[in-house]
Amino acid sequence: MKRANIELFFARLQAANPQPNTELEYTSVFELLTAVLLSAQATDVGVNKATRRLFPVANTPQAILDLGLEGLVSHIKTIGLYKSKAKHLMETCRILVAQHGGSVPRSREALEALPGVGRKTANVVLNVAFGEPTMAVDTHIFRVSNRTGLAPGKTPLAVEQGLLKVIPTPYLVDAHHWLILHGRYVCQARRPQCWQCAVNDLCDFQPKSSATKS
Protein backbone atom coordinates (compact mmCIF):
# COMPACT_ATOMS: atom_id res chain seq x y z
CA MET A 1 0.00 0.00 0.00
CA LYS A 2 1.27 3.47 -0.90
CA ARG A 3 2.36 5.80 1.90
CA ALA A 4 -0.30 8.37 0.99
CA ASN A 5 -2.96 5.68 1.14
CA ILE A 6 -1.74 4.47 4.54
CA GLU A 7 -2.17 7.98 5.95
CA LEU A 8 -5.70 8.13 4.54
CA PHE A 9 -6.43 4.57 5.70
CA PHE A 10 -5.89 5.47 9.35
CA ALA A 11 -7.44 8.92 9.05
CA ARG A 12 -10.69 7.27 7.98
CA LEU A 13 -10.56 4.65 10.74
CA GLN A 14 -9.96 7.45 13.24
CA ALA A 15 -12.87 9.48 11.88
CA ALA A 16 -15.18 6.48 12.27
CA ASN A 17 -13.94 5.65 15.79
CA PRO A 18 -12.02 8.53 17.41
CA GLN A 19 -11.43 6.77 20.75
CA PRO A 20 -11.05 3.02 20.17
CA ASN A 21 -10.47 0.66 23.05
CA THR A 22 -10.24 -3.01 23.89
CA GLU A 23 -13.50 -4.93 24.24
CA LEU A 24 -12.11 -6.77 27.26
CA GLU A 25 -13.62 -5.51 30.51
CA TYR A 26 -11.23 -4.32 33.23
CA THR A 27 -10.83 -1.63 35.88
CA SER A 28 -7.13 -1.98 36.73
CA VAL A 29 -3.86 -2.91 35.06
CA PHE A 30 -3.89 -6.27 36.82
CA GLU A 31 -7.44 -6.99 35.64
CA LEU A 32 -6.33 -6.12 32.10
CA LEU A 33 -3.31 -8.43 32.33
CA THR A 34 -5.52 -11.23 33.66
CA ALA A 35 -8.13 -10.77 30.94
CA VAL A 36 -5.54 -10.75 28.16
CA LEU A 37 -3.79 -13.81 29.61
CA LEU A 38 -7.13 -15.63 29.63
CA SER A 39 -8.03 -14.51 26.10
CA ALA A 40 -5.64 -16.80 24.19
CA GLN A 41 -7.75 -18.92 21.81
CA ALA A 42 -10.90 -17.46 23.37
CA THR A 43 -13.27 -14.65 22.48
CA ASP A 44 -13.46 -11.37 24.36
CA VAL A 45 -17.14 -12.13 25.03
CA GLY A 46 -16.24 -15.45 26.65
CA VAL A 47 -13.46 -13.92 28.72
CA ASN A 48 -15.72 -11.11 29.93
CA LYS A 49 -18.33 -13.63 31.09
CA ALA A 50 -15.67 -15.40 33.17
CA THR A 51 -14.06 -12.27 34.61
CA ARG A 52 -17.45 -10.91 35.64
CA ARG A 53 -17.55 -13.89 38.00
CA LEU A 54 -13.87 -13.74 38.97
CA PHE A 55 -13.09 -10.07 39.53
CA PRO A 56 -15.76 -9.34 42.18
CA VAL A 57 -14.20 -12.17 44.21
CA ALA A 58 -10.51 -11.73 43.39
CA ASN A 59 -9.00 -8.90 41.34
CA THR A 60 -5.50 -8.54 42.79
CA PRO A 61 -2.53 -10.92 42.69
CA GLN A 62 -2.80 -11.69 46.40
CA ALA A 63 -6.55 -12.26 46.18
CA ILE A 64 -6.02 -14.74 43.34
CA LEU A 65 -3.42 -16.56 45.43
CA ASP A 66 -5.80 -16.62 48.38
CA LEU A 67 -8.51 -18.04 46.13
CA GLY A 68 -6.29 -21.03 45.34
CA LEU A 69 -5.99 -23.01 42.12
CA GLU A 70 -9.25 -24.91 42.51
CA GLY A 71 -11.12 -21.74 43.36
CA LEU A 72 -9.66 -19.96 40.34
CA VAL A 73 -10.53 -22.86 38.04
CA SER A 74 -14.14 -22.80 39.22
CA HIS A 75 -14.47 -19.19 38.02
CA ILE A 76 -12.80 -19.55 34.61
CA LYS A 77 -13.67 -23.10 33.54
CA THR A 78 -15.94 -21.83 30.75
CA ILE A 79 -12.85 -20.55 28.90
CA GLY A 80 -10.83 -22.77 26.59
CA LEU A 81 -7.56 -24.14 28.00
CA TYR A 82 -8.69 -23.02 31.47
CA LYS A 83 -6.52 -25.51 33.36
CA SER A 84 -3.22 -24.31 31.89
CA LYS A 85 -4.35 -20.68 32.04
CA ALA A 86 -5.21 -21.06 35.73
CA LYS A 87 -1.75 -22.46 36.48
CA HIS A 88 -0.07 -19.66 34.52
CA LEU A 89 -2.15 -17.00 36.26
CA MET A 90 -1.39 -18.41 39.71
CA GLU A 91 2.34 -18.46 39.03
CA THR A 92 2.17 -14.97 37.54
CA CYS A 93 0.48 -13.75 40.72
CA ARG A 94 3.22 -15.31 42.84
CA ILE A 95 5.87 -13.49 40.82
CA LEU A 96 3.98 -10.19 40.94
CA VAL A 97 3.69 -10.39 44.71
CA ALA A 98 7.25 -11.62 45.32
CA GLN A 99 9.12 -9.48 42.79
CA HIS A 100 6.94 -6.49 41.93
CA GLY A 101 5.10 -5.61 45.12
CA GLY A 102 1.82 -6.86 43.68
CA SER A 103 1.95 -4.41 40.75
CA VAL A 104 2.13 -5.12 37.04
CA PRO A 105 5.57 -4.13 35.69
CA ARG A 106 5.83 -1.64 32.86
CA SER A 107 8.81 -3.12 31.01
CA ARG A 108 8.47 -5.62 28.18
CA GLU A 109 11.22 -7.80 29.62
CA ALA A 110 9.49 -8.11 32.99
CA LEU A 111 6.09 -8.73 31.42
CA GLU A 112 7.36 -11.45 29.10
CA ALA A 113 9.02 -13.15 32.07
CA LEU A 114 5.56 -13.84 33.53
CA PRO A 115 4.11 -17.32 32.87
CA GLY A 116 1.54 -17.29 30.08
CA VAL A 117 2.57 -13.81 28.95
CA GLY A 118 4.11 -13.74 25.49
CA ARG A 119 4.97 -10.88 23.19
CA LYS A 120 1.38 -10.27 22.08
CA THR A 121 0.04 -10.10 25.65
CA ALA A 122 2.89 -7.82 26.70
CA ASN A 123 2.15 -5.55 23.74
CA VAL A 124 -1.53 -5.29 24.72
CA VAL A 125 -0.69 -4.35 28.32
CA LEU A 126 1.97 -1.85 27.26
CA ASN A 127 -0.42 -0.27 24.77
CA VAL A 128 -3.74 -0.28 26.63
CA ALA A 129 -2.53 0.26 30.18
CA PHE A 130 0.55 2.41 29.62
CA GLY A 131 -0.11 4.11 26.27
CA GLU A 132 2.95 2.68 24.54
CA PRO A 133 2.89 2.62 20.70
CA THR A 134 3.05 -1.17 20.48
CA MET A 135 1.37 -3.51 18.02
CA ALA A 136 -0.18 -6.74 19.35
CA VAL A 137 -0.61 -8.84 16.23
CA ASP A 138 -3.48 -11.28 16.63
CA THR A 139 -5.25 -13.20 13.85
CA HIS A 140 -7.32 -10.14 12.90
CA ILE A 141 -4.37 -7.78 12.55
CA PHE A 142 -2.34 -10.44 10.74
CA ARG A 143 -5.15 -10.96 8.24
CA VAL A 144 -5.91 -7.26 7.69
CA SER A 145 -2.25 -6.37 7.26
CA ASN A 146 -1.70 -9.03 4.63
CA ARG A 147 -5.03 -8.78 2.83
CA THR A 148 -5.00 -5.00 2.46
CA GLY A 149 -1.31 -4.78 1.61
CA LEU A 150 -0.77 -2.53 4.63
CA ALA A 151 2.16 -4.55 6.01
CA PRO A 152 2.47 -8.00 4.44
CA GLY A 153 4.43 -10.58 6.42
CA LYS A 154 4.68 -14.34 6.90
CA THR A 155 4.85 -14.21 10.70
CA PRO A 156 3.17 -12.09 13.40
CA LEU A 157 6.56 -10.58 14.29
CA ALA A 158 7.20 -9.62 10.67
CA VAL A 159 3.78 -7.99 10.45
CA GLU A 160 4.32 -6.20 13.77
CA GLN A 161 7.64 -4.78 12.63
CA GLY A 162 6.18 -3.81 9.27
CA LEU A 163 3.26 -1.97 10.81
CA LEU A 164 5.48 -0.05 13.20
CA LYS A 165 7.51 1.15 10.23
CA VAL A 166 4.63 2.30 8.01
CA ILE A 167 1.95 3.62 10.38
CA PRO A 168 2.22 7.40 10.76
CA THR A 169 3.25 8.41 14.29
CA PRO A 170 -0.01 10.25 15.19
CA TYR A 171 -1.95 7.01 14.70
CA LEU A 172 0.43 4.51 16.34
CA VAL A 173 -1.04 4.34 19.84
CA ASP A 174 -4.58 3.59 18.64
CA ALA A 175 -3.72 1.64 15.48
CA HIS A 176 -3.76 -1.69 17.31
CA HIS A 177 -7.43 -1.22 18.25
CA TRP A 178 -8.54 0.08 14.87
CA LEU A 179 -7.03 -2.88 13.06
CA ILE A 180 -8.45 -5.48 15.47
CA LEU A 181 -11.94 -4.00 15.30
CA HIS A 182 -11.73 -3.66 11.52
CA GLY A 183 -10.75 -7.31 11.21
CA ARG A 184 -13.36 -8.47 13.71
CA TYR A 185 -16.35 -6.66 12.24
CA VAL A 186 -15.55 -5.66 8.65
CA CYS A 187 -12.53 -7.38 7.12
CA GLN A 188 -13.68 -10.80 8.32
CA ALA A 189 -11.86 -14.01 7.50
CA ARG A 190 -14.45 -15.93 5.50
CA ARG A 191 -16.24 -13.07 3.85
CA PRO A 192 -14.91 -9.52 4.16
CA GLN A 193 -17.68 -6.93 4.27
CA CYS A 194 -16.15 -4.87 1.48
CA TRP A 195 -19.42 -3.11 0.60
CA GLN A 196 -19.46 -1.36 3.99
CA CYS A 197 -15.70 -0.84 4.37
CA ALA A 198 -14.53 2.75 4.87
CA VAL A 199 -11.14 1.98 3.29
CA ASN A 200 -12.36 -0.21 0.43
CA ASP A 201 -10.78 1.94 -2.28
CA LEU A 202 -7.37 1.94 -0.55
CA CYS A 203 -7.16 -1.83 -0.11
CA ASP A 204 -5.15 -4.16 -2.34
CA PHE A 205 -7.56 -7.10 -1.86
CA GLN A 206 -9.15 -8.43 -5.03
CA PRO A 207 -11.81 -9.31 -5.80
CA LYS A 208 -13.88 -7.20 -3.47
CA SER A 209 -16.92 -8.97 -2.03
CA SER A 210 -20.42 -7.54 -2.41
CA ALA A 211 -23.58 -7.70 -0.35
CA THR A 212 -25.38 -9.57 -3.12
CA LYS A 213 -22.99 -12.52 -3.19
CA SER A 214 -23.83 -15.63 -1.17
Side-chain angles (χ1 to χ4, degrees), residues 165-184:
K165 288 180 181 178
V166 302
I167 296 174
T169 300
Y171 303 108
L172 265 177
V173 171
D174 290 326
H176 157 248
H177 296 301
W178 285 320
L179 293 176
I180 285 179
L181 295 172
H182 191 66
R184 183 173 292 164

Side-chain angles (χ1 to χ4, degrees), residues 67-137:
L67 192 61
L69 183 60
E70 290 187 7
L72 176 58
V73 164
S74 71
H75 287 85
I76 67 169
K77 61 184 179 181
T78 56
I79 301 175
L81 305 176
Y82 68 91
K83 290 183 179 180
S84 62
K85 290 176 181 179
K87 291 178 181 177
H88 286 154
L89 181 55
M90 291 295 290
E91 186 57 31
T92 284
C93 289
R94 290 190 187 96
I95 293 173
L96 291 177
V97 170
Q99 300 181 18
H100 302 286
S103 298
V104 178
R106 187 166 182 166
S107 76
R108 175 185 299 282
E109 182 180 14
L111 284 169
E112 291 188 19
L114 299 172
V117 178
R119 185 177 183 87
K120 185 178 75 173
T121 298
N123 278 337
V124 173
V125 173
L126 290 170
N127 177 263
V128 177
F130 301 121
E132 300 286 343
T134 58
M135 188 61 56
V137 178

Side-chain angles (χ1 to χ4, degrees), residues 56-71:
V57 176
N59 68 342
T60 66
Q62 187 60 58
I64 295 287
L65 293 175
D66 293 341
L67 192 61
L69 183 60
E70 290 187 7

Side-chain angles (χ1 to χ4, degrees), residues 2 31-32 67 82 89 114 126-127 140 170-171 192 194-196 198 208:
K2 296 178 180 178
E31 285 188 1
L32 174 65
L67 192 61
Y82 68 91
L89 181 55
L114 299 172
L126 290 170
N127 177 263
H140 296 302
Y171 303 108
C194 299
W195 63 90
Q196 61 178 1
K208 300 290 195 296

